[in-house]
Amino acid sequence: MLTLALSSLRSQPSRYATSFAALLCGAVLLMAFGSLLDTAGDDGVDEASSSVLLTMGLVVGGWSLLLVTFALTSMQTLHVRQRAAELTLLRMAGATRAQLTRMVLGETVVLALIAWAAALVPSIAAGRWIVSRLSESGLIASTTTAAFGGFAIHLGVGVI
């Protein structure tokens, strides 16, 4: 089924463009706000700045997680419904529900991994931009430097 999923991705890439775009934007959002949590945990960050970074990372990152989850769920549902005829044909040819589920999940996982890899650099830039804006506005200490580490990367991989 993974072979079928990969050939489906290769044969009709435009069908998956919206899912890829949603995954990419979601990964950038989640990893950028995850980097605030990495920054808050750095050694040189004072307690007040750490509190602001944690609050913003958790609140805005949490809302981003909800939005991304709903967007991806509805997009995948729409995608599967648009492919109803194709999936019915595969069912009639002898594919089981489990095989079709694995095929759709395989397509989604491949897209998610590509989107995660493509989102790394923009996420680092977005995280630095957010920290610089917080620093310029006086919400965090001007000596605070942005960090992009394990939490942001794991959040991107785990969620996407």
Side-chain angles (χ1 to χ4, degrees):
M1 278 292 139
L2 183 60
T3 305
L4 186 59
L6 291 175
S7 71
S8 179
L9 285 170
R10 275 192 302 268
S11 67
Q12 296 179 350
S14 62
R15 175 189 286 179
Y16 301 97
T18 54
S19 294
F20 177 76
L23 286 164
L24 179 66
C25 291
V28 169
L29 270 173
L30 293 172
M31 288 193 290
F33 284 101
S35 74
L36 295 182
L37 301 175
D38 285 329
T39 303
D42 271 357
D43 291 334
V45 179
D46 62 283
E47 193 171 320
S49 296
S50 179
S51 176
V52 169
L53 290 166
L54 281 172
T55 301
M56 181 166 275
L58 291 172
V59 171
V60 180
W63 279 109
S64 297
L65 175 62
L66 286 173
L67 291 172
V68 168
T69 302
F70 287 129
L72 293 176
T73 302
S74 62
M75 197 161 303
Q76 285 303 105
T77 302
L78 178 64
H79 185 88
V80 168
R81 286 186 181 176
Q82 288 176 339
R83 295 175 63 191
E86 177 187 340
L87 297 174
T88 302
L89 182 63
L90 287 170
R91 224 25 206 131
M92 293 173 81
T96 65
R97 287 187 190 271
Q99 288 174 323
L100 294 178
T101 301
R102 281 196 307 271
M103 182 186 75
V104 171
L105 284 176
E107 294 167 354
T108 305
V109 167
V110 169
L111 282 176
L113 290 175
I114 295 169
W116 173 79
L120 279 173
V121 172
S123 297
I124 294 169
R128 288 180 181 164
W129 182 80
I130 293 168
V131 169
S132 72
R133 297 292 84 77
L134 291 172
S135 178
E136 288 173 4
S137 67
L139 290 171
I140 61 174
S142 60
T143 58
T144 305
T145 57
F148 191 88
F151 189 80
I153 291 172
H154 286 97
L155 183 64
V157 171
V159 172
I160 296 301

